[in-house]
Amino acid sequence: MAHLNEPTEENIAYMIDAIKAKLRMASAAAMQPSHFSVNQYEDIKELYEIVIEKQNISISEVEGIVAELGRLRNK
């Protein structure tokens, strides 16, 4: 497992890929790790922890998580 305490591009890639896999995102190709900045590391890590800890994720929760990831993407 990655050492997620360090804000690196590799850790962002790991977390984004894990979130996409857990959510089984249909549009996963649109959500590339390169779209995110290390500046948003703590926010991405927080989302990652929420997603990974949940057993079941409702449709509304998926929509909220995807919306938040969209907000965090580089413009």
Coordinates of all heavy atoms in Angstrom, one line a residue:
M1 N 0.8 -1.2 0.0 CA 0.0 0.0 0.0 C 0.9 1.2 0.0 O 2.0 1.3 0.6 CB -0.9 0.0 1.2 CG -1.8 1.2 1.3 SD -3.1 1.0 2.5 CE -3.7 2.6 2.5
A2 N 0.4 2.3 -0.6 CA 1.1 3.5 -0.7 C 1.2 4.2 0.6 O 0.4 4.0 1.5 CB 0.5 4.4 -1.7
H3 N 2.3 5.0 0.8 CA 2.4 5.8 2.0 C 1.7 7.1 1.7 O 2.3 8.0 1.1 CB 3.9 6.0 2.4 CG 4.6 4.8 2.7 ND1 4.5 4.1 3.8 CD2 5.5 4.0 1.9 CE1 5.2 3.0 3.8 NE2 5.8 2.9 2.7
L4 N 0.5 7.2 2.1 CA -0.4 8.3 1.7 C -0.2 9.5 2.6 O -1.0 10.5 2.4 CB -1.8 7.8 1.7 CG -2.1 6.7 0.8 CD1 -3.6 6.3 0.8 CD2 -1.7 7.1 -0.6
N5 N 0.7 9.6 3.5 CA 1.0 10.8 4.3 C 1.7 11.8 3.5 O 1.7 13.0 4.0 CB 1.7 10.4 5.6 CG 0.9 9.5 6.5 OD1 -0.4 9.6 6.5 ND2 1.5 8.7 7.2
E6 N 2.3 11.5 2.4 CA 3.1 12.5 1.6 C 2.3 12.9 0.4 O 1.8 12.1 -0.3 CB 4.4 11.8 1.2 CG 5.3 11.4 2.4 CD 6.6 10.9 1.9 OE1 7.1 11.3 0.9 OE2 7.1 10.0 2.7
P7 N 2.2 14.2 0.2 CA 1.4 14.7 -0.9 C 2.3 14.7 -2.2 O 2.9 15.6 -2.6 CB 1.1 16.2 -0.5 CG 2.2 16.5 0.4 CD 2.6 15.3 1.1
T8 N 2.2 13.5 -2.9 CA 2.9 13.3 -4.1 C 1.9 13.0 -5.3 O 0.8 12.6 -5.0 CB 3.9 12.2 -4.0 OG1 3.2 11.0 -3.8 CG2 4.9 12.4 -2.9
E9 N 2.4 13.3 -6.5 CA 1.6 12.9 -7.7 C 1.3 11.4 -7.7 O 0.2 11.0 -8.1 CB 2.3 13.4 -8.9 CG 2.3 14.9 -9.0 CD 3.0 15.4 -10.3 OE1 3.4 14.5 -11.2 OE2 3.3 16.6 -10.4
E10 N 2.2 10.6 -7.3 CA 2.0 9.2 -7.3 C 0.9 8.8 -6.3 O 0.1 7.9 -6.6 CB 3.3 8.4 -6.9 CG 4.4 8.5 -7.9 CD 5.2 9.8 -7.9 OE1 5.1 10.6 -6.9 OE2 5.9 10.1 -8.8
N11 N 0.9 9.4 -5.1 CA -0.2 9.1 -4.2 C -1.5 9.6 -4.7 O -2.6 9.0 -4.4 CB 0.1 9.8 -2.8 CG 1.2 9.0 -2.1 OD1 1.5 7.8 -2.4 ND2 1.8 9.6 -1.0
I12 N -1.6 10.8 -5.3 CA -2.8 11.2 -5.9 C -3.3 10.2 -6.9 O -4.5 9.9 -6.9 CB -2.7 12.6 -6.5 CG1 -2.5 13.7 -5.4 CG2 -3.8 13.0 -7.5 CD1 -2.2 15.1 -5.9
A13 N -2.4 9.7 -7.8 CA -2.8 8.8 -8.8 C -3.4 7.5 -8.2 O -4.4 7.0 -8.6 CB -1.6 8.4 -9.7
Y14 N -2.7 7.0 -7.1 CA -3.2 5.8 -6.4 C -4.6 6.0 -5.8 O -5.4 5.2 -6.0 CB -2.2 5.5 -5.3 CG -2.6 4.4 -4.4 CD1 -2.3 3.1 -4.7 CD2 -3.3 4.6 -3.2 CE1 -2.8 2.0 -3.9 CE2 -3.8 3.6 -2.4 CZ -3.5 2.3 -2.8 OH -3.9 1.2 -2.0
M15 N -4.8 7.2 -5.2 CA -6.1 7.4 -4.6 C -7.2 7.6 -5.6 O -8.3 7.1 -5.4 CB -6.0 8.7 -3.6 CG -5.2 8.4 -2.4 SD -5.2 9.7 -1.2 CE -4.3 11.0 -2.0
I16 N -6.9 8.4 -6.7 CA -7.9 8.6 -7.7 C -8.3 7.3 -8.4 O -9.5 7.0 -8.6 CB -7.4 9.6 -8.8 CG1 -7.3 11.0 -8.1 CG2 -8.4 9.7 -10.0 CD1 -8.5 11.6 -7.6
D17 N -7.3 6.4 -8.7 CA -7.6 5.1 -9.2 C -8.4 4.2 -8.3 O -9.3 3.5 -8.7 CB -6.3 4.4 -9.7 CG -5.6 5.1 -10.9 OD1 -6.3 5.8 -11.6 OD2 -4.4 4.9 -11.1
A18 N -8.1 4.3 -7.0 CA -8.8 3.5 -6.0 C -10.3 4.0 -5.9 O -11.2 3.2 -5.8 CB -8.1 3.6 -4.7
I19 N -10.5 5.3 -6.0 CA -11.8 5.9 -5.9 C -12.6 5.4 -7.1 O -13.8 5.0 -7.0 CB -11.8 7.4 -5.8 CG1 -11.3 7.8 -4.4 CG2 -13.2 8.0 -6.0 CD1 -11.0 9.3 -4.3
K20 N -12.0 5.5 -8.3 CA -12.7 5.1 -9.5 C -13.1 3.7 -9.5 O -14.2 3.3 -9.9 CB -11.8 5.4 -10.8 CG -11.6 6.9 -11.0 CD -10.9 7.2 -12.4 CE -9.6 6.4 -12.6 NZ -8.9 6.9 -13.8
A21 N -12.2 2.8 -9.0 CA -12.4 1.4 -9.0 C -13.6 1.1 -8.0 O -14.5 0.3 -8.3 CB -11.2 0.6 -8.6
K22 N -13.5 1.7 -6.8 CA -14.6 1.5 -5.8 C -16.0 2.0 -6.3 O -17.0 1.3 -6.1 CB -14.2 2.2 -4.5 CG -15.2 2.0 -3.4 CD -15.0 0.8 -2.6 CE -15.9 0.7 -1.4 NZ -15.5 -0.1 -0.4
L23 N -16.0 3.1 -7.0 CA -17.2 3.6 -7.5 C -17.7 3.0 -8.8 O -18.8 3.3 -9.2 CB -17.1 5.2 -7.6 CG -16.8 6.0 -6.4 CD1 -16.8 7.5 -6.7 CD2 -17.8 5.7 -5.3
R24 N -16.8 2.2 -9.4 CA -17.1 1.6 -10.7 C -17.6 2.7 -11.6 O -18.7 2.6 -12.2 CB -18.1 0.5 -10.5 CG -17.5 -0.7 -9.8 CD -18.4 -1.8 -9.7 NE -19.6 -1.5 -8.9 CZ -19.8 -1.8 -7.7 NH1 -18.9 -2.5 -7.0 NH2 -20.9 -1.5 -7.0
M25 N -16.9 3.8 -11.8 CA -17.3 4.9 -12.5 C -17.4 4.6 -14.0 O -16.4 4.1 -14.6 CB -16.4 6.1 -12.3 CG -16.4 6.7 -10.9 SD -15.3 8.0 -10.6 CE -15.7 9.1 -11.9
A26 N -18.5 4.9 -14.6 CA -18.7 4.7 -16.1 C -17.8 5.6 -16.9 O -17.3 5.3 -17.9 CB -20.1 4.9 -16.5
S27 N -17.5 6.8 -16.3 CA -16.7 7.8 -17.0 C -15.3 7.9 -16.4 O -14.8 9.0 -16.4 CB -17.4 9.2 -17.0 OG -17.6 9.6 -15.6
A28 N -14.8 6.8 -16.0 CA -13.5 6.8 -15.3 C -12.4 7.4 -16.2 O -11.5 8.0 -15.7 CB -13.2 5.4 -14.9
A29 N -12.5 7.2 -17.5 CA -11.4 7.7 -18.4 C -11.4 9.2 -18.3 O -10.3 9.8 -18.5 CB -11.7 7.2 -19.8
A30 N -12.5 9.9 -18.0 CA -12.5 11.3 -17.9 C -11.9 11.8 -16.6 O -11.5 13.0 -16.5 CB -13.9 11.8 -18.0
M31 N -11.6 11.0 -15.7 CA -11.1 11.3 -14.4 C -9.7 10.8 -14.2 O -9.4 9.8 -13.6 CB -12.0 10.8 -13.3 CG -11.9 11.4 -11.9 SD -12.3 13.1 -11.8 CE -14.1 13.1 -12.1
Q32 N -8.8 11.5 -14.9 CA -7.4 11.1 -14.8 C -6.6 11.7 -13.7 O -6.9 12.9 -13.3 CB -6.7 11.5 -16.1 CG -7.2 10.9 -17.4 CD -7.1 9.4 -17.3 OE1 -6.0 8.8 -17.0 NE2 -8.1 8.6 -17.7
P33 N -5.7 11.0 -13.0 CA -4.9 11.5 -11.9 C -4.2 12.8 -12.3 O -4.0 13.7 -11.5 CB -4.0 10.4 -11.6 CG -4.7 9.2 -12.0 CD -5.4 9.5 -13.3
S34 N -3.8 12.9 -13.5 CA -3.1 14.1 -14.0 C -3.9 15.4 -13.9 O -3.4 16.5 -14.0 CB -2.5 13.9 -15.4 OG -3.5 13.7 -16.3
H35 N -5.2 15.2 -13.8 CA -6.2 16.3 -13.7 C -6.2 17.0 -12.3 O -6.9 18.0 -12.1 CB -7.6 15.9 -14.1 CG -7.8 15.4 -15.5 ND1 -8.8 14.7 -15.8 CD2 -7.0 15.6 -16.6 CE1 -8.7 14.4 -17.1 NE2 -7.6 15.0 -17.6
F36 N -5.4 16.4 -11.4 CA -5.5 16.9 -10.0 C -4.1 17.4 -9.6 O -3.1 16.9 -10.0 CB -5.9 15.8 -9.1 CG -7.3 15.3 -9.4 CD1 -7.5 14.3 -10.3 CD2 -8.4 15.9 -8.8 CE1 -8.8 13.8 -10.6 CE2 -9.7 15.5 -9.1 CZ -9.9 14.5 -10.0
S37 N -4.1 18.4 -8.7 CA -2.9 19.1 -8.3 C -2.6 18.6 -6.8 O -3.5 18.3 -6.1 CB -3.1 20.6 -8.3 OG -2.0 21.2 -7.5
V38 N -1.3 18.6 -6.5 CA -0.8 18.2 -5.2 C -1.4 19.3 -4.2 O -1.6 19.0 -3.0 CB 0.7 18.2 -5.1 CG1 1.2 18.0 -3.7 CG2 1.2 17.1 -6.0
N39 N -1.8 20.4 -4.7 CA -2.4 21.5 -3.8 C -3.7 21.0 -3.2 O -4.1 21.5 -2.1 CB -2.6 22.8 -4.6 CG -1.3 23.4 -5.0 OD1 -0.2 23.2 -4.4 ND2 -1.3 24.2 -6.1
Q40 N -4.4 20.1 -3.8 CA -5.7 19.6 -3.3 C -5.5 18.2 -2.6 O -6.4 17.5 -2.4 CB -6.7 19.4 -4.4 CG -7.2 20.7 -4.9 CD -6.6 21.2 -6.2 OE1 -5.9 20.4 -6.8 NE2 -6.9 22.4 -6.6
Y41 N -4.3 17.9 -2.3 CA -4.0 16.6 -1.7 C -4.8 16.2 -0.5 O -5.4 15.1 -0.5 CB -2.5 16.5 -1.3 CG -2.1 15.1 -0.9 CD1 -1.8 14.2 -1.9 CD2 -2.0 14.7 0.4 CE1 -1.4 12.9 -1.5 CE2 -1.7 13.5 0.8 CZ -1.4 12.5 -0.2 OH -1.1 11.3 0.1
E42 N -4.9 17.1 0.4 CA -5.7 16.8 1.6 C -7.2 16.5 1.3 O -7.8 15.6 1.9 CB -5.5 17.9 2.7 CG -4.2 17.9 3.3 CD -3.7 16.6 4.0 OE1 -4.6 15.9 4.6 OE2 -2.5 16.2 3.8
D43 N -7.8 17.3 0.4 CA -9.1 17.1 0.0 C -9.3 15.7 -0.7 O -10.3 15.0 -0.4 CB -9.6 18.2 -0.9 CG -9.7 19.5 -0.2 OD1 -10.0 19.5 1.1 OD2 -9.5 20.6 -0.8
I44 N -8.4 15.4 -1.6 CA -8.5 14.1 -2.3 C -8.3 13.0 -1.3 O -9.0 12.0 -1.3 CB -7.4 14.1 -3.4 CG1 -7.7 15.1 -4.5 CG2 -7.3 12.7 -4.0 CD1 -6.6 15.4 -5.4
K45 N -7.4 13.1 -0.3 CA -7.1 12.1 0.6 C -8.4 11.9 1.5 O -8.8 10.7 1.8 CB -6.0 12.4 1.5 CG -5.6 11.3 2.5 CD -4.4 11.6 3.3 CE -4.1 10.5 4.3 NZ -3.1 10.8 5.3
E46 N -9.1 12.9 1.9 CA -10.3 12.8 2.7 C -11.4 12.1 1.9 O -12.0 11.2 2.4 CB -10.8 14.2 3.0 CG -11.9 14.3 4.0 CD -12.3 15.7 4.4 OE1 -11.4 16.5 4.6 OE2 -13.5 15.9 4.5
L47 N -11.5 12.4 0.6 CA -12.5 11.7 -0.2 C -12.1 10.2 -0.3 O -13.0 9.3 -0.2 CB -12.6 12.3 -1.6 CG -13.5 13.5 -1.8 CD1 -13.4 14.0 -3.3 CD2 -14.9 13.1 -1.5
Y48 N -10.9 10.0 -0.6 CA -10.4 8.6 -0.7 C -10.7 7.8 0.6 O -11.3 6.7 0.5 CB -8.9 8.6 -0.9 CG -8.2 7.3 -0.7 CD1 -8.2 6.3 -1.7 CD2 -7.5 7.0 0.5 CE1 -7.6 5.1 -1.5 CE2 -6.9 5.8 0.7 CZ -6.9 4.8 -0.3 OH -6.3 3.6 -0.1
E49 N -10.5 8.4 1.8 CA -10.7 7.7 3.0 C -12.2 7.4 3.2 O -12.6 6.3 3.7 CB -10.1 8.4 4.2 CG -8.6 8.4 4.2 CD -8.0 9.4 5.2 OE1 -8.7 10.2 5.7 OE2 -6.8 9.2 5.4
I50 N -13.0 8.3 2.8 CA -14.5 8.1 2.9 C -14.9 7.0 2.0 O -15.7 6.1 2.4 CB -15.2 9.4 2.6 CG1 -15.0 10.5 3.6 CG2 -16.7 9.2 2.3 CD1 -15.5 11.9 3.3
V51 N -14.5 7.0 0.8 CA -14.9 6.0 -0.2 C -14.4 4.6 0.2 O -15.2 3.7 0.1 CB -14.4 6.4 -1.6 CG1 -14.6 5.3 -2.6 CG2 -15.1 7.7 -2.1
I52 N -13.2 4.5 0.6 CA -12.6 3.2 0.9 C -13.2 2.6 2.1 O -13.4 1.4 2.2 CB -11.0 3.3 1.0 CG1 -10.4 3.8 -0.3 CG2 -10.4 2.0 1.5 CD1 -10.8 2.9 -1.5
E53 N -13.6 3.4 3.1 CA -14.2 2.9 4.3 C -15.6 2.4 4.2 O -16.1 1.6 5.0 CB -14.1 3.9 5.4 CG -12.6 4.1 5.9 CD -12.5 5.2 6.9 OE1 -13.5 5.8 7.3 OE2 -11.3 5.6 7.2
K54 N -16.3 2.9 3.2 CA -17.8 2.6 3.0 C -17.9 1.2 2.4 O -17.3 0.8 1.4 CB -18.5 3.6 2.2 CG -18.7 4.9 2.9 CD -19.6 5.8 2.0 CE -20.5 6.6 2.9 NZ -21.5 6.0 3.7
Q55 N -18.8 0.4 3.0 CA -19.2 -0.9 2.4 C -20.1 -0.7 1.2 O -19.8 -1.3 0.1 CB -19.9 -1.8 3.4 CG -19.0 -2.2 4.6 CD -18.0 -3.2 4.1 OE1 -18.1 -3.9 3.2 NE2 -16.9 -3.2 4.9
N56 N -21.1 0.1 1.3 CA -22.0 0.4 0.2 C -22.1 1.9 0.0 O -22.2 2.7 1.0 CB -23.4 -0.1 0.6 CG -23.4 -1.6 0.8 OD1 -22.9 -2.4 -0.1 ND2 -23.9 -2.1 1.9
I57 N -22.2 2.3 -1.2 CA -22.3 3.7 -1.5 C -23.5 3.9 -2.4 O -23.7 3.3 -3.4 CB -21.0 4.2 -2.3 CG1 -19.8 3.9 -1.5 CG2 -21.1 5.6 -2.7 CD1 -18.5 4.2 -2.2
S58 N -24.4 4.8 -1.9 CA -25.6 5.1 -2.6 C -25.4 5.9 -3.9 O -24.3 6.5 -4.0 CB -26.6 5.8 -1.7 OG -26.1 7.2 -1.5
I59 N -26.4 5.9 -4.8 CA -26.2 6.7 -6.0 C -26.0 8.2 -5.7 O -25.2 8.8 -6.3 CB -27.5 6.5 -6.9 CG1 -27.7 5.1 -7.3 CG2 -27.5 7.4 -8.1 CD1 -26.5 4.6 -8.2
S60 N -26.7 8.7 -4.7 CA -26.6 10.1 -4.3 C -25.2 10.4 -3.8 O -24.6 11.4 -4.0 CB -27.7 10.6 -3.4 OG -27.6 9.8 -2.2
E61 N -24.6 9.4 -3.0 CA -23.3 9.6 -2.5 C -22.3 9.6 -3.7 O -21.3 10.4 -3.7 CB -22.9 8.5 -1.5 CG -23.7 8.7 -0.2 CD -23.4 7.5 0.7 OE1 -23.5 6.3 0.3 OE2 -23.3 7.7 2.0
V62 N -22.5 8.7 -4.6 CA -21.6 8.6 -5.8 C -21.6 10.0 -6.5 O -20.6 10.5 -6.9 CB -21.9 7.5 -6.7 CG1 -21.2 7.6 -8.0 CG2 -21.7 6.1 -6.1
E63 N -22.8 10.5 -6.7 CA -23.0 11.8 -7.4 C -22.3 12.9 -6.7 O -21.6 13.7 -7.3 CB -24.5 12.1 -7.6 CG -25.1 11.2 -8.6 CD -26.7 11.4 -8.6 OE1 -27.2 12.1 -7.7 OE2 -27.3 10.8 -9.5
G64 N -22.4 12.9 -5.3 CA -21.7 13.9 -4.5 C -20.2 13.8 -4.6 O -19.5 14.8 -4.7
I65 N -19.7 12.5 -4.6 CA -18.2 12.3 -4.6 C -17.7 12.7 -6.0 O -16.7 13.4 -6.1 CB -17.9 10.8 -4.3 CG1 -18.2 10.5 -2.9 CG2 -16.5 10.5 -4.7 CD1 -18.3 9.1 -2.5
V66 N -18.4 12.4 -7.1 CA -18.0 12.7 -8.4 C -18.0 14.3 -8.6 O -17.1 14.8 -9.2 CB -18.9 12.0 -9.5 CG1 -18.6 12.6 -10.9 CG2 -18.6 10.5 -9.4
A67 N -19.1 14.9 -8.0 CA -19.1 16.4 -8.1 C -18.0 17.0 -7.4 O -17.4 18.0 -7.8 CB -20.5 16.8 -7.5
E68 N -17.6 16.4 -6.2 CA -16.5 17.0 -5.5 C -15.2 16.8 -6.2 O -14.3 17.7 -6.3 CB -16.4 16.3 -4.1 CG -15.3 16.9 -3.2 CD -15.5 18.4 -2.8 OE1 -16.6 18.9 -3.0 OE2 -14.5 19.0 -2.3
L69 N -15.0 15.6 -6.8 CA -13.8 15.4 -7.6 C -13.8 16.4 -8.8 O -12.7 16.9 -9.1 CB -13.8 13.9 -8.2 CG -13.4 12.9 -7.1 CD1 -13.7 11.5 -7.7 CD2 -12.0 13.0 -6.7
G70 N -14.9 16.6 -9.4 CA -15.0 17.6 -10.5 C -14.6 19.0 -10.0 O -13.9 19.7 -10.7
R71 N -14.9 19.3 -8.8 CA -14.6 20.6 -8.2 C -13.1 20.7 -8.0 O -12.5 21.8 -8.2 CB -15.3 20.9 -6.9 CG -15.2 22.3 -6.3 CD -15.8 22.4 -5.0 NE -15.2 21.6 -3.9 CZ -14.0 21.9 -3.4 NH1 -13.4 23.0 -3.7 NH2 -13.5 21.2 -2.4
L72 N -12.5 19.6 -7.6 CA -11.0 19.6 -7.3 C -10.1 19.5 -8.6 O -9.0 19.7 -8.5 CB -10.7 18.4 -6.4 CG -11.3 18.5 -5.0 CD1 -11.1 17.2 -4.3 CD2 -10.8 19.6 -4.2
R73 N -10.7 19.2 -9.7 CA -9.9 19.0 -10.9 C -9.3 20.4 -11.3 O -9.8 21.4 -11.0 CB -10.8 18.6 -12.1 CG -11.1 17.2 -12.1 CD -12.0 16.8 -13.3 NE -11.2 17.1 -14.5 CZ -11.6 16.6 -15.7 NH1 -12.6 15.9 -15.8 NH2 -10.9 16.9 -16.7
N74 N -8.1 20.3 -11.9 CA -7.4 21.5 -12.4 C -8.3 22.1 -13.5 O -8.8 21.4 -14.3 CB -6.1 21.1 -13.0 CG -5.1 20.6 -11.9 OD1 -5.2 21.0 -10.8 ND2 -4.2 19.8 -12.3
K75 N -8.3 23.4 -13.5 CA -9.1 24.1 -14.5 C -8.3 24.2 -15.8 O -7.1 24.3 -15.8 CB -9.5 25.5 -14.0 CG -10.3 25.4 -12.7 CD -11.7 24.9 -12.9 CE -12.5 25.0 -11.7 NZ -12.9 23.8 -11.2

